Amino acid sequence: MKIFNIKNIALLTFILVLSSCAELDYKVDSGIEIDKPTSVIDEEELNTYDVLKSYAGELALGANANSDNISGNNPLSTLLETNFVEITPETELNPSVIVSNDGIYDFSAIESYFEKANERGFSIYGDALISSTNQNSTYQNSLIAPLTFYTPRLPNFVIPVPLNDGTFANWGVEGNLSVEDYLGNPCIKMVNGASEGDGNATSLQSPEYRVDEGAKFEITFYILSKTVGEGRVVFSGLNENEPELDWMGTGVASPTFTTKQGWNMIQFQVNDFDESGLFSFRVEMGYTPNATYFMNIEGLSLINVNGSVENPDEIFLECEEAQQIGQWMMLETGDETSISGGKYLAGLIDGVTETVHVNTGLPTDEANADAQFIYTFNVRTSGTYYVWLRHRCMAPFGGDDSWYFSIDNNEYYYPNGIENQNSDSWSWSKHFDGNGDAFELEAGEHTIAFKIRESGHYFDKIYITMTVNEPTGLGSAAIAQKEVNLDLTNEDKAKIVRKSMKTWISGALNTCKNEINAWTVVKEPMADFNPQELKTGRNTEQEDGEFYWQDYLGPNYAAEAFIMARDSAKTGDLLFISDYGLEKNLIKCRGLLAYIAYVESQGAIIDGISTQMHLSLSSDKDKIGSMFQLLAESGKMVRISELKVSLDTSEPTAEMLLEQADMYEAVLDMYNDYVPASQQYGISLAGANDANNEKYGLWNSNYNRKPAYAGFANGLSGE
């Protein structure tokens, strides 16, 4: 091997970068074909250097590389193979690549990477298992996200009082059941014993309910599982009382359902009723030993999806939900503060505010024959009903203040003298029949229809009532829906995140253990602005891919990660912790060392420290030396990772290239000077060659060696 003075090499070879290249290929020992300048022979001086790995000795010399970089016989793959012994996957080992949004693992990308690396004889460094970046944050956050639901808009046959008060009157219970608040929400707590049991050992039996003709029942409940569990619902009143059902909307029917840690929604429908006319259900959760569940009482519902919505005395109908809307236009504003549901119907002729006058009781003109909307509703109690309409009038002429309406296809009526003519205000108006009377309705199905008489009217909501109450504001839903948020305690979030961490670490190590012998287990734990503290995602807007394990597991998260990794790793595998900017901020370097001491006090063993070195020409060499001294004093192995000396221009001067070479050489000199050989793991470059206008490589974008190559080689060799 030949070593030259870097300054002489650099001065001769700058012309290589600046001069044009002839159409002449020159093949170096590495097997790479490069362009040789016609103007000088200086490149030959650089090419007398041996390949880099010949200078590395026992060091693991490597570079970041993606799957394409090591595929085929392209110049970069040949360059990597001839100069380096170790490669670090760029993204192929990231959870964001491997873990899907629903938590399914797919290791095919990294397994393909292994095949390509093995063909070229590379060893592989695993970076990184646990980091706040490169995660599938969508999946991770979904595990601990609050579950939000709305109570049903149809009548719920489940009466919550005997559940809320813990008497369970008319209900049957088996096992250890009690009522307990979970974050302020009343729940039925169900606790299993230590032995595996029959599902019925811990169960809740409902009262009997009447089955109306044509009924289809939907059962919904929300259950918090403290561990992965199993359950089912059995019935009385069906032709098959232990059916296989699609319990959780997966599209697959099964005898039982599986609960994940956290909140689970169980929802299904049944209509295979027998001739008894009665129905009941029993929730059985006794299968999993030592499992604890919380069933939210407010979310337990049994509704007839083919039934009616209304309460006997109060019927509210959203106009836009009419079964037929004809030529009426449905408009959506999203403004639910002034418009019920954020939607309403506009009574316009052919989409414009055209006035049509028909002064007979029953409209017959062609212009508005189809301009009606019809709502079908049910009443449960026969009696006298009053009809109210929430509307706004924006008619083009002052006298355009009426429309037609009809009950049960009877004669159409039109009210006159509507208030708030041409106003932005919404108001309620009372409607009578042609004699000024209320409407006598029998129990059962009815229709109400509104037809355009004069254009420019907007209808929001209908109120049909047996009471003398006058509606105000938005009114209310027929059965007022309530939004319910089911959150998790910090303790339960920690359990879920811990389980996710263990599943990921064990899965990655078991898949990769025959290919990878050294790993970064925890990457970038320390904060930038408070470098003696851990990073946190709290009170900041997190970017896609960010997930801060420490926010849920606390400072012990790294200790847990190392212990999990050690349990799954092979004997002799090396486990590192990594961070960046340690050479720029020695306070951060000391903070990391203090954190390592804490982690090891919790029972974890850390083999080494990987320092990510993103340098520039102005990087402080004294601080770099101090960093190496501090890391060496830890007694841990020291690895340089993602090493690059960046230039702040796409067209560097000769002087810049010389300074870049000098910085590379200085870094490696200090690594050799301050870190004992027994603690030196190796060096990995951020990238081998210049790419994407970044000029940090040892080779340029044409795969010609740069002066930085000589500086790096000199630093490796120590000469």
Side-chain angles (χ1 to χ4, degrees), residues 72 119 424 517 631:
E119 289 175 0
D424 286 335
N517 302 317
L631 297 182

Side-chain angles (χ1 to χ4, degrees), residues 349-417:
I349 301 298
D350 295 327
V352 298
T353 56
E354 175 186 339
T355 301
V356 177
H357 296 279
V358 180
N359 295 315
T360 59
L362 180 63
T364 58
D365 60 296
E366 293 295 326
N368 64 350
D370 296 322
Q372 65 178 343
F373 71 87
I374 303 173
Y375 212 125
T376 301
F377 63 98
N378 285 274
V379 297
R380 297 194 175 213
T381 305
S382 299
T384 302
Y385 284 84
Y386 301 93
V387 176
W388 294 78
L389 174 68
R390 188 171 192 264
H391 60 89
R392 188 181 65 168
C393 182
M394 293 293 290
F397 303 103
D400 298 344
D401 57 0
S402 64
W403 51 82
Y404 297 109
F405 83 99
S406 170
I407 297 289
D408 292 337
N409 296 317
N410 289 317
E411 183 180 11
Y412 277 81
Y413 311 100
Y414 60 92
N416 274 304

Side-chain angles (χ1 to χ4, degrees), residues 182-200:
Y182 183 91
L183 290 180
N185 293 305
C187 294
I188 301 167
K189 184 178 181 181
M190 311 170 81
V191 182
N192 290 346
S195 59
E196 185 173 356
D198 183 356
N200 190 41

Side-chain angles (χ1 to χ4, degrees), residues 303 367-368 476 528 552 584-585 656 685 705:
I303 62 174
N368 64 350
S476 63
D528 292 320
Y552 304 98
K584 298 177 184 176
N585 189 339
M656 289 178 179
L685 294 173
R705 292 174 177 178

Side-chain angles (χ1 to χ4, degrees), residues 431-453:
H431 287 50
F432 301 95
D433 67 11
N435 299 317
D437 298 325
F439 297 88
E440 297 296 326
L441 302 179
E442 297 292 328
E445 185 175 276
H446 299 270
T447 61
I448 184 169
F450 289 85
K451 183 173 289 190
I452 299 174
R453 181 174 186 265

Side-chain angles (χ1 to χ4, degrees), residues 134 171 178 192 344 410-411:
N134 299 325
W171 290 75
S178 59
N192 290 346
Y344 61 95
N410 289 317
E411 183 180 11

Side-chain angles (χ1 to χ4, degrees), residues 255-564:
T256 61
F257 55 81
T258 300
T259 60
K260 63 176 178 63
Q261 279 184 292
W263 285 105
N264 301 262
M265 183 181 79
I266 312 298
Q267 185 177 74
F268 54 89
Q269 296 180 350
V270 292
N271 62 352
D272 182 29
F273 301 108
D274 62 21
E275 296 179 353
S276 68
L278 297 174
F279 172 81
S280 68
F281 63 89
R282 184 171 70 246
V283 181
E284 297 185 346
M285 300 300 301
Y287 295 100
T288 307
N290 297 315
T292 298
Y293 307 96
F294 287 82
M295 181 190 295
N296 180 263
I297 294 174
E298 197 167 17
L300 175 59
S301 65
L302 170 65
I303 62 174
N304 179 8
V305 296
N306 290 339
S308 60
V309 178
E310 300 78 15
N311 286 327
D313 296 338
E314 304 266 75
I315 302 172
F316 281 92
L317 307 175
E318 293 286 354
C319 292
E320 68 275 4
E321 294 178 0
Q323 287 81 358
Q324 300 177 41
I325 63 171
Q327 293 180 3
W328 289 71
M329 297 173 59
M330 186 181 75
L331 303 177
E332 181 173 358
T333 68
D335 176 14
E336 298 189 16
T337 60
S338 61
I339 299 169
S340 181
K343 302 175 184 178
Y344 61 95
L345 293 181
L348 306 176
I349 301 298
D350 295 327
V352 298
T353 56
E354 175 186 339
T355 301
V356 177
H357 296 279
V358 180
N359 295 315
T360 59
L362 180 63
T364 58
D365 60 296
E366 293 295 326
N368 64 350
D370 296 322
Q372 65 178 343
F373 71 87
I374 303 173
Y375 212 125
T376 301
F377 63 98
N378 285 274
V379 297
R380 297 194 175 213
T381 305
S382 299
T384 302
Y385 284 84
Y386 301 93
V387 176
W388 294 78
L389 174 68
R390 188 171 192 264
H391 60 89
R392 188 181 65 168
C393 182
M394 293 293 290
F397 303 103
D400 298 344
D401 57 0
S402 64
W403 51 82
Y404 297 109
F405 83 99
S406 170
I407 297 289
D408 292 337
N409 296 317
N410 289 317
E411 183 180 11
Y412 277 81
Y413 311 100
Y414 60 92
N416 274 304
I418 301 301
E419 295 180 5
N420 295 321
Q421 170 78 9
N422 291 327
S423 170
D424 286 335
S425 300
W426 292 87
S427 61
W428 290 93
S429 62
K430 200 172 188 178
H431 287 50
F432 301 95
D433 67 11
N435 299 317
D437 298 325
F439 297 88
E440 297 296 326
L441 302 179
E442 297 292 328
E445 185 175 276
H446 299 270
T447 61
I448 184 169
F450 289 85
K451 183 173 289 190
I452 299 174
R453 181 174 186 265
E454 295 167 328
S455 190
H457 299 290
Y458 303 90
F459 292 0
D460 183 23
K461 202 168 192 175
I462 304 163
Y463 175 44
I464 303 170
T465 179
M466 295 178 69
T467 72
V468 295
N469 297 333
E470 181 174 345
T472 59
L474 299 181
S476 63
I479 296 175
Q481 283 189 290
K482 178 182 177 183
E483 180 179 330
V484 180
N485 291 298
L486 302 178
D487 207 344
L488 294 162
T489 64
N490 290 336
E491 178 185 0
D492 283 333
K493 288 180 181 178
K495 289 179 181 178
I496 293 169
V497 171
R498 183 175 293 110
K499 182 178 184 298
S500 175
M501 175 187 280
K502 185 173 183 179
T503 301
W504 161 243
I505 289 177
S506 62
L509 282 165
N510 288 329
T511 299
C512 305
K513 64 169 47 179
N514 294 328
E515 306 292 341
I516 298 178
N517 302 317
W519 293 84
T520 290
V521 176
V522 173
K523 187 173 185 177
E524 301 172 4
M526 309 310 295
D528 292 320
F529 300 107
N530 194 2
Q532 292 182 305
E533 301 293 334
L534 295 180
K535 281 183 177 176
T536 178
R538 300 191 189 281
N539 303 319
T540 62
E541 184 175 347
Q542 297 181 21
E543 297 182 3
D544 184 43
E546 289 187 5
F547 183 80
Y548 293 83
W549 304 84
Q550 53 268 43
D551 285 347
Y552 304 98
L553 300 180
N556 206 39
Y557 90 103
E560 295 191 55
F562 273 96
I563 292 170
M564 292 173 187

